[in-house]
Amino acid sequence: MLQSWSETAPLLVDVAMGRKPADLVIRNGRWVNVYSGEIVPNTDIAVAAGRFAYVGPDAGHTIGEGTKVVDAGGRYLVPGLCDAHMHVESGLVTVTEFARAVAPHGTTTMFIDPHEIANVLGMAGVKLMNDEAQSLPLNIFVQVPSCVPSAPGLENAGATLNAEDVREALAWPNIIGLGEMMNFPGVAANDPKMVAEIAATQNARLTVGGHYASPDLGRAFHAYAAGGPADDHEGTTVDDAIARVRQGMRAMLRLGSAWFDVAAQVKAITERGVDPRNFVLCTDDSHSGTLVNDGHMNRVVRHAIAQGLRPITAIQMATLNTAQHFGVERELGSIAPGRRADLIVTSDLAALPVEMVFARGRLLAEDGALVADIPAYDYPASAKNTVKLGKALTAADFDIAAAGAAQVDVRVIGVVENQAPTKALQRSLPVKGGVVAMDRPGDVCQIALVERHRGTGGVVNAFVSGFGYDTDCAMASTVAHDSHHMIVVGTNKADMAQAANRLQEVGGGIVLIAGGKELALVELPVAGLMSDERAEVVAEKANRLVEGMRACGCTLNNAYMQHSLLALVVIPELRISDVGLIDVTRFEKTDVIIR
């Protein structure tokens, strides 16, 4: 357990004065000082008790018999990177496996909102992840989920959290604030539950996470800012970013596996000249394939630099700015005395190869490989076997009746590549035998939301466009933000039924069926959201899933991530839930068939 700065201050003073030896000294580095915006050459760093004790021109006086000495060889010394907003569950692995995957990429701090597991297991799930987070050598702070379910009345989750649950959890150790406030209409309408949760967080002097997923920057946006959320990651345009910063919020710019929102919004800094101090980088979210193959926050920083940001500015947006936002500046986000000794050694600030990673003064990774032992974490049986369909599904469960017509006009969910919002489309489809048919070989296929928490046997059917499937196939997933029922998308109803039944059999996950044959399976037994296998194993299974989708005609970038958001009834325009097809511009249920 890392001791506090106040507890270790006498030791840090003694080390800085040369009266006691440091545990670790890194010599001859170029100090990336995020406070001054400078690169300071010929810098030594001394570490004791997991914290920085001395940062200056010569730490020779802190070296003793037992001090480990590392020569940086003139390379850059960068603060450990912070992910300001993410959901571990979207990586398809546990907190421990996520940490093992991101540490070699230089991420040493994460601010996580476990509202995915909360929608399945309630507060018990949140506590499981918070306990696991505290067992790890990285800094993994937890936000209390604010909206479970995310849109009351428009969906039913596996659990419900109320204001009293939130108030109680805010007092737990390691809790950093309130998770993203997705019910933005509720905030604007002064919904009592939203008001109570925000007030409890502010009274605890913690940070209220935001989520304003609407293009409307009028009265509702101003009311949302007045209600208390302190940040927002749902902007997609330069004007979105500027509007949030002007209202005193932090604009969180995200680059995840499927959301590419940095390039447009960073122009607020590079072209409009807005002060970068209130801009923060995050992922929201990255799946295991991205983590293993492409990186994590190092990927985001590299991308931001490629869009024209100065390297030091991009690094500030992934370190100091984040720490200041969450009120932990005196703990992390910089290489400065007293802070946790989290740092990266790299030979190139723009390309950012992560050559060494230290967390709390301990070497975790070197040359892209984990070198520290981070043992696996076992989840209890109560967190497993959560997929309860109530029956075995058949092809007939996916029929959409339209008796008495030869053709009907239907509403279609339109997937937008690389963005979270969808489009509300309309198409004319044929009716065969009293049932609406898909427009093969067109791009409209069927989507179903299968209730999986209470075993009701309920199936809601609708249509979706954008995946490009050109053969008989179906993909099912129990990762279905945010209520995490089961989403099945397919061109063949028999395959859809087989996919759904397969996930009930394995206790959750993602499966792809084509012509009755299983092409790929990612088992996710923990809450139907996370694997208990190593991240690299999960990544390989996810790669097979992507390859299988391509073989079925899908060329959409990170199509799995798009699939998982089709039930997210807090982001416009059209979604599906266990209640029905949801018009998120109006926040009301609508009909699939246009009368």
Side-chain angles (χ1 to χ4, degrees):
M1 178 68 71
L2 183 72
Q3 291 183 300
S4 69
W5 186 350
S6 61
E7 290 173 315
T8 57
L11 171 62
L12 301 180
V13 170
D14 282 342
V15 170
M17 288 296 294
R19 292 190 290 259
K20 289 186 179 178
D23 300 324
L24 167 72
V25 169
I26 302 175
R27 311 206 74 172
N28 188 28
R30 285 189 273 183
W31 177 19
V32 178
N33 193 308
V34 290
Y35 277 110
S36 64
E38 301 172 284
I39 310 297
V40 184
N42 303 315
T43 296
D44 289 358
I45 292 174
V47 174
R51 294 180 180 273
F52 296 117
Y54 171 90
V55 188
D58 183 2
H61 64 289
T62 71
I63 297 174
E65 185 176 337
T67 303
K68 180 178 180 180
V69 179
V70 174
D71 185 359
R75 291 178 291 179
Y76 296 95
L77 308 177
V78 179
L81 303 178
C82 307
D83 191 344
H85 177 70
M86 56 162 290
H87 310 282
V88 163
E89 304 97 313
S90 293
L92 309 181
V93 293
T94 62
V95 184
T96 298
E97 295 309 318
F98 203 101
R100 291 182 77 257
V102 302
H105 299 306
T107 300
T108 58
T109 299
M110 297 182 287
F111 297 87
I112 71 172
D113 179 353
H115 71 215
E116 320 300 355
I117 200 170
N119 272 272
V120 180
L121 299 175
M123 291 306 295
V126 176
K127 189 174 189 306
L128 282 172
M129 291 186 71
N130 188 49
D131 289 347
E132 182 182 10
Q134 293 176 81
S135 73
L136 294 165
L138 275 64
N139 313 304
I140 303 178
F141 297 101
V142 175
Q143 296 172 291
V144 182
S146 63
C147 301
V148 179
S150 61
L154 297 180
E155 65 176 349
N156 299 288
T160 300
L161 304 189
N162 57 37
E164 186 54 42
D165 293 326
V166 170
R167 186 177 297 108
E168 177 184 337
L170 287 169
W172 294 352
N174 197 54
I175 296 296
I176 201 71
L178 187 67
E180 56 181 308
M181 179 52 70
M182 294 179 288
N183 188 356
F184 53 92
V187 175
N190 269 333
D191 175 273
K193 179 175 181 286
M194 303 300 100
V195 170
E197 289 182 0
I198 292 172
T201 308
Q202 291 178 325
N203 290 338
R205 298 186 179 278
L206 298 174
T207 304
V208 178
H211 170 116
Y212 184 81
S214 170
D216 177 12
L217 297 177
R219 291 184 183 180
F221 169 70
H222 289 271
Y224 187 75
D231 56 58
D232 187 47
H233 55 271
E234 290 296 338
T236 60
T237 70
V238 64
D239 289 332
D240 288 341
I242 292 172
R244 285 151 175 78
V245 169
R246 284 176 176 171
Q247 295 296 315
M249 303 171 78
R250 257 72 173 202
M252 289 187 173
L253 315 187
R254 63 183 172 188
L255 179 75
S257 291
W259 331 129
F260 290 32
D261 298 325
V262 172
Q265 295 187 90
V266 80
K267 292 177 181 177
I269 301 167
T270 59
E271 296 182 6
R272 303 278 193 93
V274 176
D275 192 319
R277 77 181 70 185
N278 287 315
F279 288 80
V280 170
L281 295 174
C282 68
T283 61
D284 187 42
D285 288 306
S286 297
H287 65 64
S288 55
T290 300
L291 299 178
V292 171
N293 300 316
D294 302 324
H296 189 233
M297 284 305 298
N298 58 331
R299 170 177 173 260
V300 184
V301 171
R302 283 196 305 263
H303 176 73
I305 293 169
Q307 306 310 310
L309 276 185
R310 294 171 59 233
I312 188 70
T313 302
I315 290 168
Q316 286 169 326
M317 289 166 58
T319 56
L320 181 61
N321 291 12
T322 308
Q324 289 176 329
H325 175 55
F326 287 101
V328 289
E329 175 190 352
R330 299 285 283 175
E331 282 294 306
L332 49 91
S334 65
I335 297 174
R339 277 69 171 182
R340 300 181 186 188
D342 304 334
L343 68 96
I344 299 167
V345 178
T346 180
S347 55
D348 188 321
L349 270 195
L352 206 63
V354 180
E355 291 149 1
M356 300 181 80
V357 180
F358 293 87
R360 305 175 190 175
R362 175 189 178 192
L363 181 66
L364 286 190
E366 192 166 10
D367 296 327
L370 193 71
V371 297
D373 179 38
I374 301 179
Y377 190 91
D378 291 328
Y379 271 71
S382 60
K384 301 178 182 179
N385 297 313
T386 62
V387 181
K388 303 164 186 168
L389 303 189
K391 64 179 183 179
L393 299 184
T394 68
D397 286 303
F398 302 99
D399 287 346
I400 299 177
Q407 183 170 297
V408 292
D409 293 333
V410 299
R411 292 182 172 86
V412 178
I413 302 170
V415 173
V416 181
E417 188 167 30
N418 293 330
Q419 289 198 355
T422 64
K423 294 293 185 184
L425 307 177
Q426 295 185 11
R427 296 287 187 270
S428 292
L429 297 181
V431 177
K432 299 178 181 179
V435 174
V436 183
M438 290 168 271
D439 66 339
R440 302 280 303 281
D443 188 34
V444 174
C445 54
Q446 200 155 321
I447 181 172
L449 192 294
V450 181
E451 200 283 329
R452 68 103 163 174
H453 296 306
R454 297 175 179 85
T456 65
V459 179
V460 173
N461 290 295
F463 295 98
V464 65
S465 173
F467 287 101
Y469 294 127
D470 58 10
T471 188
D472 285 349
C473 64
M475 190 170 85
S477 172
T478 51
V479 179
H481 304 275
D482 274 330
S483 58
H484 297 290
H485 290 289
M486 183 189 297
I487 294 176
V488 189
V489 171
T491 61
N492 178 279
K493 295 175 185 176
D495 285 346
M496 293 174 74
Q498 183 179 339
N501 292 331
R502 180 66 167 137
L503 292 190
Q504 179 170 230
E505 178 185 331
V506 300
I510 314 157
V511 66
L512 178 65
I513 305 291
K517 180 182 178 182
E518 184 175 296
L519 298 188
L521 173 66
V522 184
E523 303 95 330
L524 303 175
V526 180
L529 302 173
M530 297 178 286
S531 172
D532 49 10
E533 294 183 294
R534 294 295 195 191
E536 53 269 25
V537 174
V538 179
E540 179 54 36
K541 291 182 178 182
N543 287 341
R544 289 200 290 271
L545 181 71
V546 171
E547 291 168 3
M549 295 175 77
R550 286 177 182 153
C552 293
C554 180
T555 59
L556 192 68
N557 180 52
N558 277 301
Y560 157 69
M561 296 290 279
Q562 301 284 5
H563 181 112
S564 71
L565 288 196
L566 293 174
L568 187 52
V569 292
V570 292
I571 297 182
E573 294 179 346
L574 200 59
R575 305 280 166 169
I576 191 171
S577 85
D578 63 309
V579 171
L581 188 65
I582 305 298
D583 180 342
V584 188
T585 62
R586 298 175 179 272
F587 276 86
E588 63 185 24
K589 180 181 175 182
T590 190
D591 293 327
V592 175
I593 298 174
I594 301 171
R595 308 294 179 182

